[in-house]
Structures are given as C-alpha cells and as structure tokens.
Amino acid sequence: MKPFAYQAPGDAATAVRSVAADPAAVFLGGGTNLVDHLKLGVAAPDLIVDVTAATSNEITDDGAGGLRIGAAVPNSELAADRRVRDRYPVVAQALLSGASGQLRNMATTGGNPLQRTRCVYFQDVTTPCNKRKSGSGCSAIGGYTRYHAILGASEQCIATHPSDLAVALAALDAEVRVLGAAGERGIPFVDLHRLPGEHPELDTVLEHGELILSIDLPPLPMAARSAYRKVRDRASYAFALVSVAAAVDVADGIVRDARIAFGGVAHKPWRATKAEESLRGAPASDDSYRAAAQTELAGAQAQDGIDGGNAFKILLLTRTLVATLRDLAHEET
Amino acid sequence: MTALHSRAIGRDLLRRDGRLKVTGTAPYAYEGPLGKPAYCHLIQATIARGRVTGMDTTSAQAIDGVITVLTADNAERLASTEDNELAVLQSDEVAFRGQIIGAVIAETSEVARHAAGTVQVTYAQEPHDVELSVDRADLYKPYKINPAYPTDTADGDVAAAMASAPVTLENTYTTAMYHNNPMEPHTTTALWDGSLTMWDSTQGVHSARSVIARVFGFDHEQVRVVCPYVGGGFGSKGTPHAHVVVAVMAARATPGRAVKLALTRQQMFFLTGYRTPTIQKMQLAADRDGHLAAIALDVVEQTSRIKEFAEQTGMPTRSMYAAPNRRTTHRLAALDVPVPTWMRAPGECPGMFGPEVALDELAEQLGLDPIELRIRNEPSVDPDSGRPWSSRNLIACLREGAERFGWAERDPAPGVRRQGDWLVGTGVAASVYPTYRMAVSTATLRYERSRYVVEIGAADLGTGTWTTLPQIAADALGVDVDDVDARIGDTDYPIASVAGGSSGMSTWGSAIVEAARAFRDKFGTDPADGDEAEGSVSPPTGKYAMHAFGAQFVEARVHADTGEIRVPRLLGVFAAGRIINPRTARSQFIGGMTMGLSMALHEQSVLDPRFGHVVNHDFADYHISVCADVGDVQAHWIDEYDPHVNAMGSKGIGEIGIVGTAAAVVNAVHHATGVRVRDLPVTLDKVLAQLTPN
C-alpha cells in the first residue's frame, strides 16, 4: 500500500474542491472496495478524501411518494427502511442479496454503485487489464469468463458491474444528484454507468472530483410489487452470475407496464427496455416473458474461455427473467 | 494389547482451549510475545518459467522503514537444497508463477508490502506448460504414491472381465484443483540469537524443526519450534513451505530481532500446496445380480516440475469392494506449477469420487438399490493385502444411515419429485479412511503439585487435542480427568509425529498410555512430586487391514428454472472405533462433511494456462460453502470397539468426513434431475440445459 494523505471534511464543497484539485485524489465512502484496491495495488492514490461526514446520511420523503437517499446512508439502513421496503422492495432485496451484514453496515449508498468490477484480471496487477491500465490489453478475453459480460462488451473489456443495488436503481428510473467543481447536476441513473467501448478505464460519466450527494427514487406505485432475483454460485456471499430487477403492473391477465434491469451481464446495470416494450399489452404468460427475454437478448454474445466460457448465462438469464416475472405476476392476482 | 477401562474416554467434555479462543486470547504464531519485531513481505515471480535476469531494489531500499531486501544475490546459501521447494533464493530459476524471488524486511508490515511492490524485476521468460490432460505424451509412472504405496496394482484380468460380463460401465470422472485454505493464514515468527526460535503455524513442531534444521544445517538443539494453537491446516501446514525458510533467513539477517511473516490469502494460492486435479477412468464389470467381476481405476494427475507429489487416488479402489479382477494405476504430468501437497484425506477424498458415483450408475443400470449393491460386494478380507480387517462395519453404517435418513421410502426413479419450484432427490455414498499409527512419538508423564502432567510435542489444529489427550491419560492412569493437564505444541516437549493422516490420537494416545503404564509401574498409585516416566508408541503389527468406514446420505434440491443446487440435508454414520470425545468428534465429522459439500458444489481453483496461475485466488472468487449453503448436517457413529488398532480402540476421524460426500451429492443431484454430472464441482450450468423449466 502506497502511503497517502487523508482528509475527512465536514462538507461536500470542501471535499469536491480537494479531489478536483488533485488528479491522484479519490473519495472514500465505506471503503469496502477501495481498501482492497489499496492493498492489492489496484489503486494508489496520493490523497484520500473521506466523504462519510460530508454528505447526508438521511432518507427523506419528497412529498410525492418518492425518496431522496443521502449518499452516506449505509446499505444496511437503506435495506431496513420501512418506506423503501414498502414502496421499492426491489431495492431492499437487492441490497440484502449482496455482501454480508458487516459489509452492508460499512458500504454507503453513494459508494455502492461506484464499486469496481471484480474481474479477476482487473484485481491482479500482474495480469494486463485495459480498465486498470489503458492500452495494456484484456486478459479476460479467452480467460476465466464465468462472471463476464454477454451484453454490451467491447474488444477492450468484457467486465461486468458487480453492484446489486445499481440494478434495482436502474430499473426504477432513479436519478443521481452530483456536485462537481462546476456545480450541481442530476444524472439519470441509467446514464451513470458506461459501456466499455474504447475506454474501459472509465466506469461512469462522472468527472474527476464529482461527488454523489444523493440518489433520488421517483414515485412509482407499481414498484410496490417489485423483486430482485439473484442467481449465483452459492447461496450467499457471491456476485451474481445473472440477476433481474423487475416491477410489473398486471391487470386482467395483461401486462400493463414493466420495469426490468439485468445484473451480472454487462459493464453497467442493463436496463432491458426492449423486454419492457415487448411486455406492454402482452398476456401475463411464460410465453410473453420468454419472448421479452429473447427480444432483449437477441444481441447477446457469449464469451469463450477456460472452464467452459459463459454461454450458459444467456439461457440462465432467460429462465431467471421468466421465473421472476411469473412470480411477480402471480403476486399481483 | 490390553484395553483401557474407559471412564474419561467417551465423555462429552468441553474444549479446554475454548474460552481462550472465543475471547481471542489464545496466542497464534503471528502473536509471539516479542518486543519490537520486524516484518517480512515476499516478492513473487510473475512468469511461470524462466530466469530472473535482474532485480532493481533501489527504490525499495530508499523507502523509510525498510531494513533490507533479500534476493537470490544476497540471501545466505542453504546447507541442503535437496528439496527444491525449500531451496528458496538459491538461484535465478523460476519454476512456477508466484515462486518466491525475494523478500523485504521492514519496520512495519505495511512498509514491507509497499516496498516489495516497488522492486523492478526483469526476466528471461521461457514457454511454460501447465495443462493437465490424459493424452499428454509425457505422462510418467511415479516410483511410489503418497506416502509410500505401490504406484500400480493388478489382479486377474480386468479387460477380459469387461469383455465378458453382462453389465459393464466405463466412465471418466474428474475432480478439480483445490486449495486447503485454513482460516488462519500461514504465518511464522522467527528469532535468531545464535539459536533459532520459531513460532510457526504448523501441524507438527518436531517435523518443522527437523526440516528447518536440515535445510540450514543446524543441530536440532539449536532450534525450538512453538505452536500451541493452529487455526486449521488441512494438510497444508503438515510440513514447512518455502516461506518458512525465508522467515528464518530474514531472522538471521536481523540477529536479535524477531521477524514476522504472514502470507496473504492470495499468496497461499501459490505457496502452501494444494490438491492436484484428478482425471479418473473408472471401469466396472458385474453380473446381473450386481456382483462385481472387475473394478479398475486409472488415474491421471499432476505434480510440479521441481518436486514430486503423487496423490494416492487409487488407494480406496484397492480395498473397498470385492472383485476377482482389479487394477489401479497412477500417471503424473510434471508441470510448471506450484508444488501439490496433502489436503484433507489425500487419496481417499478424490479417490472416492469416481468409484462411488460409478457404483450409483451401475446400481441404476442393474435396477438395484445402491446400498444393496455395496452390500453384495462386501469383501471378507482386504482385497488388496489379503489381510483380515481389524474391524469393518461399512454395512452397519449403510443400514443405520438408511434408517435414520428415511431411505426405505425412496423411489429410485430420477427426476420425478417436485416441491414447488424445486426438484428433489437423495443420494448415498460410502466413506473410508485408513487407521494410521505413526512410528515415532514419546510422551512424558510427571506428577507435579498434586496433578498429573502430560507433555508431548503434539498439535491441536482446532481438533480437540488439548481436551482429548488428558482424557486418554486419565484412563491410562485411572484418575479423574480434571486432575490431568496436557502441554503440547513445543519442541521442548518430547517428540511427536505430525498431525496428519488422522493419526494424532492413535499415535500420541498410544505413547501416553505407555507413559502412564511406566509411571504406575515405577511409582505406584502414590507418587511423589516430580516423579516422571516416559513412554513411546510402538509400530502397528501389520497383521490387520485397519480402516474406518462410513456412509453419507444427501438430500439435494435443484431449482427447475435456474438449476441452482441446494443441499438441505447431510447425514453421515461412521464406524471409527471408540470415540474419545463425542463433542470434538462430532465437530470433526461435520466439519469434514461440510468440506465435502463445499468440494461438491463450489470449490475449484481455476488455473489460467496462459499465465500459469490460479486466477480466482481469493475468498470472493474461490468459493467455499457459506452458512447459507449448509443445512441440517448430522453425524452419527455406531458403537465399535476395535481391539487391534491401539490401546484406546480408537480410529482416526479427522479426514473420513470429507470422503464420499461429493459423490453422495452428485448422486442426489442425479436422483433429483436425471442429470449425471461426472465433473466437479456440480454447478448450475452443468444441469441447466437439461432441465425442463416450469
């Protein structure tokens, strides 16, 4: 671990000024990912600015049925909040399906979506990785690809985004409030993360020094019947092979509306707009759900690799979406 | 031998070290009581084969707090480089990725680690070869298999039986590469002040001393090894690995000041051993009633290019079932990979996967219950050696397990039971583990301030030694167990064998019984303070084939949509002689079974052939079963007393729990789904495509 300076300012503006002024500075939330990176040599900042006291740790009602979640709210508190559990069960379920109790107590709302890929080659400084070092090459292609992308990958990077919370937020049309050197702005959550393209070193559209202040959940009555289904290699404490965040509005056997996002399959939480569109007005049946999955996954591309590659994830995601929608629709009736 | 009258033996006594451990006050090797130690961090090769052509340590030396950097250029020359794994920093050759090529000694562990990362290394890289397969041209026949068994065995004519039998089976089964991963990482604290004191996390202080003394050319009297507590070993702490040699070199580079070295979890995937992957070609021939005409297992596995370790995977096939025609073979590929070693139940654990799944497949072919198939092939003597069994109660285990598990109601048809979204099935497999007694161990018994004190350099890996040795001593002396103390884990106490091969209780206990008898012979029942006697183990007579047996039953559930696999029930019944302490024994059995479950469903070291190393080298990626994966795990045992094994009538139980579990899981998954998986681990992608969703 390279020695670094540490600051813990009490306000967001100071934090932003410090980081914006130093290209080798980073924000620290709960530290559940960054501290690993410091030890592994994946991150070697000169300055760490702890923002847990600089941003809000409160969840506030917006008066219209939505919620504003302060960036410093721990994942465990967010998952336990009665309003979240009632209005957006998909958020609570996503959080509780990730990490462990101890980690959720540390991890923050602002930090969770900014955690970095767990690609084994990204985390190992002895193997080339375009995300860690631009232009060095992608070791994952042709390597151990079980946890890698089937959607939206590039020739530079096939990593997946590991957050469960982010998948739920992408499905719910959340908005991120950020503060930067140029002031405050809002970013639709689905636009926060990038696809890798030619620049896999960039996970998000945030400028250096931009700090997440809050995440806003808009009013969405149908989200009261929502769910997060995570399929993984063991029953707990594992990243998703595939996951589905979904909310459906079903009446008289017809899907009136749907919100769907996928996790574990792309460089960003994958909002499944084609699947949503295919479902609107369709009968609430396995055939419709399967057709929706197939529409969304028409462009899916499996990765070869050692240990059999990841082609199974296309079928697995199809089956998982069908099962999730079936259970939700059944709940509705 | 005369049997002990058991009063303390068999009692459910609390662990004597329990309070220290749960309060965090039991000192482990990294916590040696020292003033101001220095810290050591290793530098590892990033190529899998070639030579180091240069190491620029200038930046590292310049970092505040760095004491020195050891490399092959300045490290001391070792007295013995016979063991290539331990000949560390003796040449520029790189034989596997992750091999130790240097070490930084610094004032803090953080500075040492940071400085290690700044050392610039250049290499002359050569092409490496790390891929195991059955069709390699360079597979070779090792001279022996671990520890000293014949490499191949053959009786009768398997090929002829396969050609003529009405029912035959020939399949290939594979087990993955596994890493031992004890909870406590490998750590060593070493202090050199003309003689060496080493606090080392080890399964045997005396064997660690002997290895280090040989490598450095020390007299045994110059070396003291201390290790009262071990946070698990599972074989990887059975003998010192290269990092221990570096810790001693570091201590000698800073005389009078102790040096602490702890491996990171990632480093353990390169440096502390692992279980070889195995490829098992299995052949069975039988008549229509299920009597085996032939059983054969041809094993292909790997070792490292610099040191041979030949896992004895074929061993259980040699003794498990009766069949007139038999064959086992072992062939190795010597690769540019780290050195494999013992991992819980070496040989038996992987070696009871292929055969026990094959028997399940044969039972299905025959339309015969898999328990009945095993009963029909029960051998009256050991088919391998021809010796009588000291005791063999496999059938009793199968029957009692069947009764407890509810096997009688089982419908044998695969893939037909459904509860909600889950397909449900059950499976069974047998377990076996040899009953070893090591040749060397001595105990001292002393009467000290009105208490009896046993001293022996034994180890407690979390297994219960602190508690069970006094139980044996109490019965051997005929006194209350509360009047007996044990002192272990230090070479200042008499020599004890390594805690391996499930031989600890059998070996150390036998020495204690001898010491107690000598003590009573010399001093009677009214000893004076300071009276002391010694006793040693005697080697087994070799008249009997000695093994523990067991049967494991599994309920598996497979999600019809996603293929997710859950195991809500594991039930094992064991015949392992007299149980010294049911509390610590149960813990050993269910621990082994849980590790077997983990092997079945999760564990797999993924070796990337392009780089030559295991890429999933941490606990986020190398999956071990977590609490949520483990349901109802029950271990039972039958009342077995074996007069031939040792004075206690006990058999080792540290390893048998992991043997057969994975096969039982695979058999249950097949019963649930109709899908037969022959390659571990059983992950959802291996069943998914063959499932019919809702």
Side-chain angles (χ1 to χ4, degrees):
Chain A
M1 189 184 299
K2 200 180 82 171
F4 52 82
Y6 174 85
Q7 296 173 4
D11 68 285
T14 307
V16 167
R17 265 198 307 278
S18 292
V19 172
D22 183 349
V26 294
F27 294 118
L28 172 74
T32 60
N33 194 211
L34 180 61
V35 174
D36 285 348
H37 288 169
L38 295 174
K39 290 198 266 186
L40 295 171
V42 171
D46 291 333
L47 170 65
I48 289 181
V49 177
D50 185 333
V51 293
T52 47
T55 53
S56 164
N57 60 1
E58 289 183 357
I59 304 170
T60 49
D61 228 300
D62 71 358
L67 293 174
R68 166 160 293 188
I69 306 155
V73 172
N75 288 179
S76 48
E77 281 185 30
L78 182 58
D81 188 272
R82 174 49 64 191
R83 294 161 294 179
V84 171
R85 296 166 72 95
D86 287 346
R87 295 179 213 173
Y88 312 99
V90 63
V91 170
Q93 289 174 24
L95 285 164
L96 294 176
S97 76
S100 63
Q102 294 94 326
L103 288 167
R104 291 194 295 268
N105 284 340
M106 293 299 294
T108 62
T109 304
N112 179 312
L114 299 183
Q115 64 180 301
R116 308 204 69 193
T117 184
R118 296 313 198 278
C119 173
V120 295
Y121 304 98
F122 171 74
Q123 297 194 116
D124 182 343
V125 295
T126 73
T127 54
C129 168
N130 286 325
K131 183 179 279 298
R132 200 179 59 247
K133 191 176 175 194
S134 185
S136 61
C138 175
S139 299
I141 293 172
Y144 181 45
T145 57
R146 187 173 181 83
Y147 292 92
H148 287 74
I150 54 172
L151 290 166
S154 75
E155 288 180 6
Q156 311 301 319
C157 181
I158 61 170
T160 51
H161 195 264
S163 166
D164 295 300
L165 171 64
V167 183
L169 297 176
L172 295 174
D173 292 319
E175 187 181 73
V176 188
R177 301 299 306 170
V178 304
L179 180 67
E184 196 174 323
R185 64 170 175 148
I187 306 169
F189 193 88
V190 290
D191 297 331
L192 175 66
H193 297 91
R194 301 175 62 258
L195 289 178
E198 293 298 310
H199 290 285
E201 71 278 9
L202 302 174
D203 289 355
T204 70
V205 300
L206 295 178
E207 301 290 335
H208 179 73
E210 272 193 315
L211 174 66
I212 295 181
L213 299 176
S214 70
I215 292 179
D216 297 349
L217 287 168
L220 186 67
M222 68 183 278
R225 294 287 172 88
S226 61
Y228 188 73
R229 178 76 162 94
K230 178 175 178 180
V231 180
R232 46 190 153 172
D233 273 328
R234 60 183 167 190
S236 179
Y237 207 58
F239 291 96
L241 289 166
V242 305
S243 70
V244 170
V248 284
D249 178 2
V250 174
D252 304 324
I254 301 294
V255 180
R256 293 202 298 200
D257 201 0
R259 297 282 189 282
I260 298 168
F262 298 151
V265 292
H267 194 260
K268 61 184 288 186
W270 188 268
R271 179 68 180 267
T273 50
K274 290 178 191 155
E276 291 174 6
E277 203 168 311
S278 128
L279 284 169
R280 283 189 195 102
S285 69
D286 277 16
D287 287 345
S288 303
Y289 309 149
R290 199 170 299 113
Q294 281 159 0
T295 305
E296 189 67 48
L297 295 175
Q301 198 170 359
Q303 296 291 331
D304 294 334
I306 53 176
D307 195 39
N310 71 4
F312 72 94
K313 288 170 78 163
I314 298 174
L315 176 61
L316 180 61
L317 182 53
T318 304
R319 298 267 192 89
T320 305
L321 179 64
V322 172
T324 307
L325 294 175
R326 183 200 303 131
D327 289 349
L328 274 177
H330 181 74
E331 235 181 84
E332 290 283 336
T333 52
Chain B
M1 84 192 55
T2 323
L4 285 187
H5 176 60
S6 90
R7 286 166 59 227
I9 289 176
R11 280 181 62 194
D12 179 357
L13 298 179
L14 291 174
R15 287 169 192 274
R16 291 188 171 195
D17 52 337
R19 176 175 288 271
L20 288 178
K21 285 186 174 167
V22 299
T23 55
T25 50
Y28 286 82
Y30 200 64
E31 301 162 335
L34 299 155
K36 189 177 174 347
Y39 293 83
C40 184
H41 194 85
L42 302 175
I43 304 168
Q44 297 173 271
T46 57
I47 62 166
R49 183 169 180 158
R51 284 185 311 109
V52 174
T53 53
M55 290 181 72
D56 182 353
T57 62
T58 320
S59 320
Q61 302 274 12
I63 292 170
D64 197 26
V66 169
I67 297 167
T68 190
V69 183
L70 297 178
T71 68
D73 288 337
N74 64 6
E76 66 176 292
R77 298 302 98 182
L78 297 169
S80 167
T81 54
E82 181 191 3
D83 183 334
N84 282 322
E85 184 188 1
L86 301 179
V88 58
L89 304 183
Q90 301 299 293
S91 83
D92 59 3
E93 196 206 341
V94 175
F96 60 88
R97 193 175 170 112
Q99 192 171 13
I100 300 169
I101 56 171
V104 177
I105 308 166
E107 298 293 335
T108 69
S109 61
E110 289 83 2
V111 169
R113 186 169 184 174
H114 169 50
T118 68
V119 174
Q120 299 297 313
V121 186
T122 52
Y123 300 96
Q125 188 169 1
E126 294 164 24
H128 60 257
D129 179 2
V130 300
E131 287 189 90
L132 178 66
S133 76
V134 288
D135 44 20
R136 291 180 64 101
D138 61 349
L139 294 177
Y140 75 98
K141 178 182 172 182
Y143 177 69
K144 62 178 174 58
I145 54 173
N146 178 61
Y149 291 113
T151 303
D152 296 350
T153 55
D155 287 296
D157 187 340
V158 170
M162 289 296 288
S164 62
V167 184
T168 61
L169 174 147
E170 182 172 323
N171 282 319
T172 298
Y173 303 86
T174 64
T175 59
M177 182 183 194
Y178 306 107
H179 278 78
N180 308 54
N181 277 317
M183 189 70 96
E184 180 205 17
H186 292 242
T187 62
T188 306
T189 302
L191 173 65
W192 175 259
D193 50 12
S195 64
L196 176 70
T197 308
M198 209 167 77
W199 294 263
D200 185 41
S201 185
T202 177
Q203 293 174 222
V205 287
H206 286 277
S207 44
R209 170 165 81 171
S210 148
V211 168
I212 291 302
R214 188 182 69 235
V215 166
F216 284 88
F218 300 148
D219 294 333
H220 277 207
E221 295 67 35
Q222 265 181 294
V223 182
R224 180 179 173 203
V225 181
V226 183
C227 183
Y229 304 102
V230 188
F234 310 119
S236 69
K237 293 174 183 169
T239 187
H241 296 290
H243 68 279
V244 182
V245 176
V246 175
V248 175
M249 285 177 165
R252 281 161 62 79
T254 57
R257 185 170 184 191
V259 177
K260 294 190 172 193
L261 190 159
L263 294 187
T264 64
R265 183 62 62 183
Q266 286 87 351
Q267 288 173 334
M268 288 169 63
F269 281 83
F270 298 89
L271 294 173
T272 60
Y274 61 93
R275 195 197 303 283
T276 172
T278 71
I279 304 169
Q280 310 177 15
K281 193 183 99 183
M282 186 77 209
Q283 289 176 305
L284 292 174
D287 68 19
R288 294 202 187 283
D289 293 330
H291 299 108
L292 290 176
I295 184 166
L297 179 58
D298 298 303
V299 182
V300 173
E301 49 200 19
Q302 78 188 34
T303 186
S304 75
R305 187 162 55 82
I306 56 167
K307 182 177 175 179
E308 181 178 288
F309 178 84
E311 177 116 5
Q312 69 272 38
T313 305
M315 283 302 291
T317 295
R318 295 177 184 176
S319 292
M320 212 43 206
Y321 301 108
N325 303 291
R326 334 175 51 84
R327 184 184 70 241
T328 60
T329 65
H330 297 80
R331 296 294 176 269
L332 297 186
L335 305 174
D336 301 315
V337 294
V339 183
T341 190
W342 308 305
M343 178 165 165
R344 207 169 197 178
E348 275 70 24
C349 172
M352 284 290 273
F353 176 67
E356 290 297 300
V357 177
L359 274 189
D360 200 64
E361 298 196 57
L362 183 68
E364 195 190 8
Q365 278 186 47
L366 290 162
L368 192 63
D369 182 83
I371 292 177
E372 181 58 28
L373 176 62
R374 288 172 173 85
I375 291 171
R376 287 188 192 178
N377 291 287
E378 175 76 0
S380 55
V381 296
D382 175 15
D384 186 37
S385 65
R387 288 178 292 184
W389 304 104
S390 63
S391 58
R392 174 173 165 127
N393 284 300
L394 172 62
I395 294 176
C397 292
L398 287 163
R399 290 198 165 129
E400 180 164 338
E403 176 72 26
R404 288 179 177 273
F405 190 77
W407 190 261
E409 299 90 63
R410 182 182 191 257
D411 170 1
V416 297
R417 285 152 301 279
R418 177 117 182 204
Q419 288 178 15
D421 292 331
W422 297 86
L423 301 161
V424 183
T426 52
V428 66
S431 307
V432 64
Y433 196 79
T435 301
Y436 292 115
R437 189 162 83 236
M438 302 295 190
V440 175
S441 275
T442 298
T444 298
L445 231 169
R446 192 165 50 249
Y447 192 63
E448 207 176 288
R449 280 174 271 180
S450 305
R451 298 183 62 75
Y452 293 89
V453 177
V454 177
E455 291 180 344
I456 181 167
D460 187 329
L461 317 187
T463 45
T465 311
W466 281 107
T467 312
T468 47
L469 292 186
Q471 289 180 265
I472 294 168
D475 284 355
L477 288 164
V479 300
D480 195 287
V481 68
D482 292 334
D483 294 334
V484 182
D485 293 326
R487 293 177 189 152
I488 64 170
D490 193 325
T491 49
D492 279 357
Y493 306 134
I495 189 164
S497 55
V498 67
S502 299
S503 67
M505 276 310 101
S506 194
T507 309
W508 312 326
S510 296
I512 288 169
V513 170
E514 290 308 315
R517 285 179 180 154
F519 185 92
R520 284 292 184 236
D521 287 349
K522 251 168 122 174
F523 308 113
T525 54
D526 190 19
D529 194 65
D531 283 350
E532 179 180 305
E534 201 176 80
S536 294
V537 67
S538 55
T541 60
K543 278 193 227 157
Y544 296 95
M546 305 191 295
H547 295 74
F549 292 89
Q552 299 202 33
F553 294 77
V554 168
E555 177 184 330
R557 292 177 173 239
V558 181
H559 196 281
D561 288 302
T562 61
E564 292 160 287
I565 300 165
R566 301 283 183 264
V567 173
R569 278 205 294 158
L570 276 180
L571 187 148
V573 177
F574 300 93
R578 190 182 267 170
I579 297 300
I580 307 288
N581 181 330
R583 177 180 299 255
T584 56
R586 177 168 284 109
S587 175
Q588 292 246 57
F589 285 131
I590 67 174
M593 292 165 70
T594 304
M595 208 180 231
L597 172 70
S598 191
M599 167 190 179
L601 297 181
H602 307 303
E603 290 188 45
Q604 178 182 25
S605 305
V606 179
L607 187 82
D608 188 326
R610 303 167 306 163
F611 298 104
H613 72 289
V614 170
V615 293
N616 59 336
H617 50 45
D618 61 35
F619 277 0
D621 296 296
Y622 181 92
H623 286 166
I624 296 169
S625 292
V626 296
C627 290
D629 292 295
V630 182
D632 177 19
V633 183
Q634 291 185 31
H636 304 275
W637 46 87
I638 63 165
D639 193 15
E640 180 181 88
Y641 176 71
D642 186 325
H644 305 300
V645 283
N646 54 48
M648 295 78 68
S650 66
K651 297 177 178 176
I653 57 172
E655 293 166 271
I656 191 170
I658 196 178
V659 178
T661 324
V665 171
V666 159
N667 295 341
V669 168
H670 172 261
H671 188 233
T673 61
V675 183
R676 180 65 71 177
V677 177
R678 300 191 181 93
D679 305 294
L680 289 178
V682 195
T683 45
L684 59 87
D685 49 301
K686 292 176 183 167
V687 299
L688 180 69
Q690 294 174 72
L691 298 178
T692 312
N694 279 294

